[in-house]
Amino acid sequence: MLEKSSVEMALKPAVGAVFALLDGRSVLFSETSQKIYELDQVGAFIWCKLAQGAFLEDIHRELGRLGIDEHAARQFTRQAMNIWIDRGLLDIDWRMPANCTFSADLGRRRISVRAANWDLLQQLIPLFCAPDDNGGEEDIVIEAMVLDDQVFFRGNDARVHRCEAGALAPTIKAHITERLIRSDRWVFALHAASLAKCGTGLLLCGQPGAGKSTLTLRLVNAGFQYAGDDVALIGADGTICGIPFALTLKEGSWEVLSRLYGDWNDVTHCRPDGAQVRYLPIPDAHKGCLSASWIVFLNRVASGPVELTPLDQLDSMKRLIEGAFAADGRLSHAGFLALKRIVAGARSFQLTYSDSAEARGLLMDLCNGKA
């Protein structure tokens, strides 16, 4: 159970949320979504009390005076609050303590995380490979607090999001990743792990489940420099910038993790899709841009020998386009030219494998000029 937040906070109607009566029926209008939502009698009572500045405990007591028991009152209030927050109708106004912060560099952006207490901050620190204590302007700011056994967080846009405590770190990771992809600094992004060998880049491309993180774990243990295990950001000049969050390992990788790093009993986090994950911070992660020398498309199979198959530039381009995604959902002209530069300057292969240790050996030979 997370420690409750002690920050000053208040629930209030969002800008553009309007309460009205239509033929005696209570409704909310959202200027943002251009929709009208009808409220029942209890919902209308809770909304009006919040609009008047009442605290949740006061609302619970007043519902009790109307004959609603405390458990039901809390359930009604929480359900209404969650729906209104998700629809952008309700805001949470809070102030963070000044000393409960953590900063890191990701995707050439400075990320600052502020939490309402140290217990909450400790849930988020494992997401990052190393702190950045150099100061400077913050590009992305995340603030998180606990309210009514849920975690609420907001970014620079002030929009409030919520999740269960066990899903906080994966949810924050997804939020920051989306913000980085939408940055005008990058023309598109790839589902790819990125590593460095002697200053040059290796891309491991593949959709979730292809084994990018497990293979990355083995390569890092073999001396490669870690740059990211999930998304690679691509600049207009064809350079690649990984997002070096801590290495994210699903349950199938925990045995390999324990063999390489001893008994690893870190906290288990639950992603929104239900997958259980653990985070392994890599202290010397590469934070800058790389030029790719090798592009490897992972083809994970149930059994069989490891095999590296060369690909021509056209085949490589088609595969990269399939795995590319951009802020507006379209690969732009600049993005296509960036892909062309990457493919022209790298050797491309398909790696078919079932055993990650054998795959690591073959990739080491490739990057050492022996394959």
Side-chain angles (χ1 to χ4, degrees):
M1 180 69 69
L2 286 174
E3 175 191 349
K4 292 293 186 295
S5 301
S6 57
V7 300
E8 297 180 12
M9 56 77 62
L11 294 165
K12 62 179 184 179
V15 175
V18 181
F19 176 83
L21 292 174
L22 298 176
D23 290 331
R25 297 158 69 179
S26 300
V27 299
L28 292 176
F29 169 69
S30 169
E31 181 180 352
T32 302
S33 65
Q34 294 289 291
K35 291 183 178 180
I36 294 177
Y37 303 98
E38 186 172 0
L39 303 178
D40 60 18
Q41 188 174 2
V42 175
F45 178 84
I46 295 171
W47 178 270
C48 291
K49 287 298 178 181
L50 289 175
Q52 294 167 9
F55 293 101
L56 290 177
E57 292 300 324
D58 295 332
I59 295 174
H60 298 156
R61 283 193 292 270
E62 293 202 38
L63 287 173
R65 297 190 190 102
L66 297 176
I68 301 175
D69 67 75
E70 182 179 356
H71 175 75
R74 291 182 179 276
Q75 189 176 35
F76 287 148
T77 305
R78 175 170 176 165
Q79 183 180 30
M81 180 182 70
N82 288 345
I83 292 173
W84 295 336
I85 288 174
D86 291 346
R87 290 175 175 173
L89 295 165
L90 194 65
D91 279 341
I92 304 178
D93 187 18
W94 69 66
R95 294 180 181 180
M96 291 286 108
N99 63 339
C100 204
T101 64
F102 182 90
S103 297
D105 282 334
L106 291 174
R108 298 177 65 185
R109 296 286 189 180
R110 188 163 185 266
I111 314 298
S112 180
V113 178
R114 303 169 185 168
N117 54 56
W118 284 103
D119 185 22
L120 191 58
L121 190 66
Q122 291 300 316
Q123 297 282 323
L124 295 171
I125 288 177
L127 264 180
F128 304 93
C129 287
D132 168 35
D133 299 322
N134 297 324
E137 185 177 352
E138 301 161 331
D139 297 302
I140 297 176
V141 178
I142 302 294
E143 295 182 340
M145 66 165 294
V146 183
L147 174 65
D148 196 20
D149 298 325
Q150 292 186 100
V151 178
F152 293 82
F153 68 93
R154 65 186 178 193
N156 302 60
D157 59 357
R159 173 81 184 270
V160 177
H161 309 266
R162 65 182 179 88
C163 66
E164 297 302 319
L168 176 61
T171 304
I172 293 291
K173 178 183 176 181
H175 178 80
I176 294 175
T177 300
E178 182 179 359
R179 293 285 303 279
L180 292 172
I181 292 170
R182 291 183 179 278
S183 167
D184 57 9
R185 197 169 287 187
W186 313 105
V187 291
F188 68 96
L190 292 171
H191 277 298
S194 45
L195 301 107
K197 180 69 171 177
C198 299
T200 190
L202 165 66
L203 277 181
L204 301 179
C205 301
Q207 295 298 318
K212 297 189 298 296
S213 295
T214 305
L215 195 47
T216 297
L217 174 66
R218 289 194 177 277
L219 289 169
V220 168
N221 184 253
F224 283 70
Q225 188 178 16
Y226 175 72
D229 70 334
D230 186 34
V231 173
L233 304 168
I234 310 300
D237 59 355
T239 55
I240 297 157
C241 183
I243 305 180
F245 281 109
L247 190 58
T248 305
L249 299 163
K250 294 191 284 290
E251 192 170 0
S253 303
W254 295 351
E255 182 180 349
V256 176
L257 178 62
S258 295
R259 287 203 303 268
L260 296 179
Y261 288 86
D263 292 332
W264 186 262
N265 296 314
D266 194 19
V267 175
T268 299
H269 304 262
C270 182
R271 291 197 322 201
D273 62 4
Q276 302 290 316
V277 298
R278 291 176 179 172
Y279 297 113
L280 176 67
I282 308 297
D284 61 343
H286 192 286
K287 297 181 181 179
C289 291
L290 293 165
S291 295
S293 290
W294 307 279
I295 304 169
V296 177
F297 299 91
L298 301 183
N299 178 32
R300 190 178 179 185
V301 295
S303 62
V306 62
E307 183 179 6
L308 204 58
T309 306
L311 302 174
D312 61 31
Q313 291 188 11
L314 179 58
D315 195 354
S316 182
M317 280 285 287
K318 289 179 177 178
R319 293 177 183 229
L320 285 174
I321 290 175
E322 289 177 359
F325 49 101
D328 62 358
R330 300 171 65 250
L331 182 64
S332 66
H333 177 229
F336 176 81
L337 292 180
L339 270 183
K340 182 176 180 294
R341 292 188 184 97
I342 293 173
V343 169
R347 298 168 64 198
S348 298
F349 301 87
Q350 174 178 284
L351 176 66
T352 301
Y353 76 103
S354 59
D355 183 86
S356 60
E358 293 180 357
R360 176 197 60 186
L362 190 54
L363 287 177
M364 290 176 64
D365 287 343
L366 172 68
C367 295
N368 290 326
K370 299 178 181 179

